[in-house]
Amino acid sequence: MEITFLGTGAGLPSKSRNVSAIALHLLQEENQIWLFDCGEATQHQILHTSIKPRKINKIFITHLHGDHIFGLPGLLSSRSFQGGDDAVTIYGPQGLRDYIVTALRISKSHLNYPITIKEIKDGTVIKEDNYTIFVKELDHGIPSFGYRIVEKDSPGELLVDKLQAKGIPAGPLYGKIKSNEYINTKDYGILYRKDFLGPDKPGKIITIMGDTRYQESFTSFVERSDVLIYEATFNAEQEDLAFQYFHSTTKQAATLAKEGNVKQLIMTHISSRYQLADYEDLLKEAREVFRDTELANDFYHHQIR
């Protein structure tokens, strides 16, 4: 899996940061892209990447503030002209359906693919073939949500020594053993996959939080994430201001990452009051609490290993 940050600013677009949008690339079998939030000009940001809008088949909206949704009608409309005819499912808070339907109806936009809009609430669980997405309501004045994406565990490594000890030479049979619960062979009888595989490999966990005040109670939701994406609208000195505007600081983002025992924190949603010269200080504040922290700029690309 890979993550591309299409917009990393808070509230208003600036010369250096567009407003919120994050693309999660599901490689391998799925070959899909899931989009998290879709602020104004997201489709323009996409033009600067290798992302194909037709590959976007799921969109997750954290909340209904304009800097997270104003790009959505345009993206949905343009997708019709860019070879996208596969269905799209859109998840988000109550009111999302009215917003999308009204924008498309009034603009007389016609989509040549079906869309499904599913409004979420705290505790919603979304099941996909290889992923489960858990939803948690945050603290932002209006309903705002976090998404915890948990990948299904994958089969462990093939234990070649065990196969060779049974006299099974390397070849196509190895792949069949790994791909099937059991196979019936002429020379070796019934071979059960469980007898020749190591422990399952745990799936990856990516947690993407919408705009929110910091709360210690979020710890269990982000726990053991391979990547936590969390807002850092303000610097550490502006904790009172962050609370007033229902946002978080760099230090609070890092504290949540540390308490949640996550592997990697990526901060986003940076206020336009901070310029390029301030970024090093913002990152330093967080790294003093949690070392494995990055501060995302637009088009920052992160590969999840």
Side-chain angles (χ1 to χ4, degrees):
M1 292 185 284
E2 299 175 353
I3 301 169
T4 300
F5 289 80
L6 297 169
T8 58
L12 301 172
S14 67
K15 290 182 178 180
S16 59
R17 293 181 183 274
N18 199 52
V19 286
S20 294
I22 299 168
L24 174 62
H25 307 248
L26 304 179
L27 308 175
Q28 299 179 357
E29 295 91 351
E30 288 86 1
N31 194 23
Q32 301 171 359
I33 296 174
W34 293 359
L35 186 66
F36 291 81
D37 286 333
C38 190
E40 177 185 353
T42 291
Q43 63 174 317
H44 189 270
Q45 295 290 92
I46 287 174
L47 294 176
H48 297 275
T49 73
S50 61
I51 292 172
K52 301 291 189 293
R54 68 176 184 274
K55 293 288 188 181
I56 299 173
N57 75 324
K58 287 183 174 50
I59 300 174
F60 299 84
I61 300 298
T62 61
H63 65 293
L64 299 183
H65 277 153
D67 57 323
H68 295 255
I69 64 169
F70 281 167
L72 186 54
L75 176 67
L76 293 175
S77 298
S78 296
R79 188 176 181 272
S80 289
F81 299 100
Q82 296 166 330
D85 53 13
D86 293 335
V88 173
T89 304
I90 309 169
Y91 301 90
Q94 184 175 359
L96 179 63
R97 181 187 306 278
D98 286 346
Y99 170 68
I100 294 173
V101 170
T102 301
L104 295 177
R105 176 176 55 82
I106 291 177
S107 63
K108 301 198 183 303
S109 299
H110 172 72
L111 307 184
N112 62 3
Y113 57 89
I115 62 171
T116 302
I117 302 167
K118 297 187 177 182
E119 295 184 336
I120 58 171
K121 60 183 180 180
D122 186 49
T124 294
V125 178
I126 303 164
K127 295 279 191 179
E128 295 294 326
D129 289 342
N130 293 312
Y131 301 88
T132 303
I133 301 98
F134 300 90
V135 178
K136 183 172 183 61
E137 186 164 3
L138 307 177
D139 182 6
H140 190 52
I142 69 168
S144 181
F145 294 90
Y147 295 97
R148 177 180 172 93
I149 304 103
V150 180
E151 183 184 29
K152 182 180 177 182
D153 292 350
S154 58
E157 295 290 340
L158 204 60
L159 301 177
V160 176
D161 289 348
K162 280 194 171 184
L163 289 163
Q164 292 178 343
K166 197 172 177 65
I168 304 172
L173 195 56
Y174 280 21
K176 292 180 180 179
I177 293 171
K178 190 166 185 178
S179 301
N180 297 277
E181 186 176 350
Y182 68 90
I183 59 173
N184 195 349
T185 67
K186 178 180 178 181
D187 296 328
Y188 310 104
I190 299 176
L191 302 175
Y192 292 91
R193 177 171 58 188
K194 63 182 178 60
D195 295 332
F196 301 101
L197 288 186
D200 285 352
K201 295 180 181 178
K204 300 297 184 183
I205 302 174
I206 302 96
T207 304
I208 300 174
M209 303 285 268
D211 293 6
T212 184
R213 288 171 173 164
Y214 166 80
Q215 286 191 9
E216 187 178 350
S217 60
F218 297 156
T219 302
S220 59
F221 186 70
V222 308
E223 190 173 17
R224 296 180 295 102
S225 297
D226 291 274
V227 177
L228 167 63
I229 298 172
Y230 190 84
E231 68 136 286
T233 307
F234 295 98
N235 67 18
E237 295 178 355
Q238 300 287 350
E239 187 171 326
D240 290 342
L241 195 61
F243 186 86
Q244 179 182 344
Y245 287 101
F246 292 90
H247 285 296
S248 298
T249 69
T250 54
K251 185 177 179 180
Q252 289 173 331
T255 300
L256 183 62
K258 181 179 179 180
E259 295 301 317
N261 194 29
V262 310
K263 292 183 180 178
Q264 176 82 59
L265 167 66
I266 305 178
M267 299 187 300
T268 186
H269 203 267
I270 309 302
S271 171
S272 59
R273 71 182 61 202
Y274 305 112
Q275 304 302 314
L276 182 61
D278 302 309
Y279 296 167
E280 185 175 344
D281 289 338
L282 295 175
L283 190 55
K284 181 180 178 182
E285 288 176 350
R287 285 181 172 173
E288 285 175 351
V289 177
F290 185 75
R291 182 174 59 85
D292 293 317
T293 299
E294 298 293 341
L295 190 152
N297 295 309
D298 285 15
F299 309 116
Y300 172 68
H301 191 76
H302 181 81
Q303 188 166 11
I304 304 169
R305 300 184 184 277

